Amino acid sequence: MELPQIGFGTMVREGVSVTEALTLGLKAGYRHIDTAELYANTKEVSEAIEQSKINRNELFITCKLKGLPCEEFSVVRDRVVKMLNDLKIEKFDLLLIHWAGKATADLNGDPSQVASDCDFNWFSENIEQAWKNMLQLKNQNLTNNIGVSNFYSSHINQLIQKFPDSKDQPFANQIYIDPCHQEKEFVSELQSLNVKVMAYRSLAFIPVYKMSQEMGDNTFEILEKQSQELGMTIHQFVLAWLIKRGIYPILSSSSGNHLEENLKASSMTEKISLDCLQQLEGGNETIEMMGGVDEFARVFQECSKPKQ
């Protein structure tokens, strides 16, 4: 099965049932399910899949492993097999390394404390063993494809230097992209290497854009004007813009109406110009001051810079 254009992320906000949210997503038509070892929700995901009665071969299931899996292969394999057993499936369609650091990094805590667990020198020393384990998982038919998440240019370059054969290179990289953090150059770099780009939290900070109008910021105004002119919601506009760029967004919602609306974005790309949000490129100090940036992604990006 090919990677569906829009995926359903199972990291839902506190108080929301993963099973109920994913059930709504599957009912709306989502067929790419994105979960992770960190989320600890594989049993809830399995319940939603069972209740949906959708055949396994109609689903694309992505899972992410905590940090670099550089332990003994048997330990890594046991981690993967446990999640497969919880999900009641034989293999993943895509298995990603969730972040370019130690598995002990606390992504549920303070982002500033994560940096010490994502040191680039440590990454350089351990990526070879980690990727050998990933290749072995694929060779043992526990996943159809392997890839990475939260890897930036230096991470990717180092990985490809150690594994130059195209058949050994990552299928995808899942990173943070939104209208104010477009990663234009990096996306082009990944696509030139035939690495699919998946985007997370692309819609997360739209409420911040709206609040930032009081500070004189025009980000929300730009999105609202362009989406209205094209007959779309702002969410549909942003998703269609991502898809036009060849990016595969991952999103989640507990609202059935929003889920159905967002899924329609994949059929709206012809209305979109690739440079329609060029004026928002390069970050936004006001938006970031108001909290409109993924702090963990910022730390991962900073940690990708080799120390002199």
Side-chain angles (χ1 to χ4, degrees), residues 72 164 251:
E72 290 289 330
L251 56 144

Side-chain angles (χ1 to χ4, degrees), residues 101-120:
K102 298 177 183 178
T104 52
D106 182 10
L107 267 66
N108 292 313
D110 183 350
S112 65
Q113 301 301 310
V114 171
S116 60
D117 285 326
C118 295
D119 175 73
F120 187 80

